[in-house]
Amino acid sequence: MKKIILLFICTLSTMTGISQNSMIPEVVWNGITENENQYVELLNLKDRNSLIVRVAYSGYWNKGLSGQYIIYQNDGKIKRYKVFQPSDSDLKTKVKRKRVRKKDFQNYWNYLKNCISEKKFQINKTQLNIDAKPGKEKGARLVKSISDGTTYHFSVYQGKNYIAYASYEPKSFIEDEYPGFEERQKLVGLMAGFETLAEKY
């Protein structure tokens, strides 16, 4: 009888530990789509209610969208992928799974919770692509034109819910303090945080 009770307590404590990790924090979403996001199928995820974080870049020279995908599963596990989606429909999408050690799962969960509690996902997207500012002379406007630049993409998906931001060459506009540079800086910092997390763990 004592063995059965002990086994029950051990099982309960294990389940409690897992459920704490598996509780995906509530996110303030930008919108809802009619269909489930495409990345559940692309990454062949069994947990269709996983939270998917995408950090990606696109540009003329790389011929598509290249990104890191961090998957927060409801069982507490973390998966990570590198994905290249070509702009040419004749070319194939490349998906490569990257190993995340079990001991590092908590680092990913901690960073996600920090982003949500610090409201780092809340960025004013109308400020991310302003390319003009007032000039020194009255009525003058300075317009920055960059050719062959890189677009930064950040998104979060869960089921039909999403957050999505994109900004063209944000660092250049940040340096010259164009309108919206503070929001661009938030985006660059947010993306860098997830990239550092993936590189470290």
Side-chain angles (χ1 to χ4, degrees):
M1 184 67 176
K2 287 182 180 179
K3 287 182 180 179
I4 293 171
I5 293 171
L6 185 61
L7 180 63
F8 176 75
I9 292 169
C10 289
T11 304
L12 187 62
S13 63
T14 303
M15 287 174 64
T16 303
I18 291 171
S19 66
Q20 286 175 347
N21 281 345
S22 69
M23 289 178 63
I24 296 172
E26 190 174 334
V27 175
V28 176
W29 300 101
N30 282 357
I32 300 173
T33 59
E34 289 185 17
N35 301 311
E36 185 179 60
N37 73 78
Q38 62 177 312
Y39 302 109
V40 170
E41 296 297 334
L42 178 68
L43 304 175
N44 195 26
L45 300 177
K46 291 179 181 176
D47 181 355
R48 303 188 76 84
N49 200 39
S50 297
L51 186 132
I52 303 165
V53 175
R54 182 186 72 165
V55 176
Y57 302 89
S58 65
Y60 176 78
W61 295 109
N62 58 5
K63 307 291 184 185
L65 190 72
S66 180
Q68 295 239 29
Y69 293 70
I70 299 171
I71 315 303
Y72 292 85
Q73 296 190 159
N74 287 289
D75 61 3
K77 293 180 181 177
I78 302 293
K79 289 183 178 178
R80 192 162 65 84
Y81 298 86
K82 281 200 169 184
V83 178
F84 176 72
Q85 293 176 288
S87 50
D88 186 341
S89 58
D90 292 334
L91 299 174
K92 287 186 177 180
T93 296
K94 295 177 183 176
V95 178
K96 186 175 183 181
R97 174 100 180 256
K98 308 296 285 184
R99 185 174 174 268
V100 180
R101 295 173 298 183
K102 187 176 180 180
K103 68 176 187 175
D104 294 325
F105 288 174
Q106 196 58 48
N107 293 305
Y108 283 86
W109 284 104
N110 289 344
Y111 187 69
L112 174 68
K113 290 172 184 176
N114 175 261
C115 286
I116 293 168
S117 67
E118 298 285 323
K119 299 183 179 178
K120 292 181 182 179
F121 291 160
Q122 295 177 35
I123 296 172
N124 184 346
K125 63 169 60 181
T126 65
Q127 301 289 303
L128 293 176
N129 290 289
I130 299 170
D131 63 357
K133 68 177 181 178
K136 290 182 180 178
E137 296 180 15
K138 189 175 180 180
R141 290 177 78 232
L142 295 174
V143 179
K144 185 189 281 279
S145 179
I146 303 171
S147 59
D148 303 334
T150 300
T151 301
Y152 287 49
H153 303 266
F154 178 81
S155 31
V156 184
Y157 304 94
Q158 188 179 28
K160 295 181 179 181
N161 299 308
Y162 73 89
I163 292 170
Y165 302 115
S167 184
Y168 182 69
E169 278 298 318
K171 289 184 179 179
S172 177
F173 291 93
I174 291 166
E175 287 170 10
D176 294 335
E177 295 192 354
Y178 269 69
F181 79 89
E182 299 96 336
E183 298 303 296
R184 287 178 165 114
Q185 187 63 63
K186 287 181 190 177
L187 177 63
V188 170
L190 178 61
M191 292 175 68
F194 277 102
E195 287 184 309
T196 300
L197 187 68
E199 286 167 13
K200 191 173 180 181
Y201 305 110

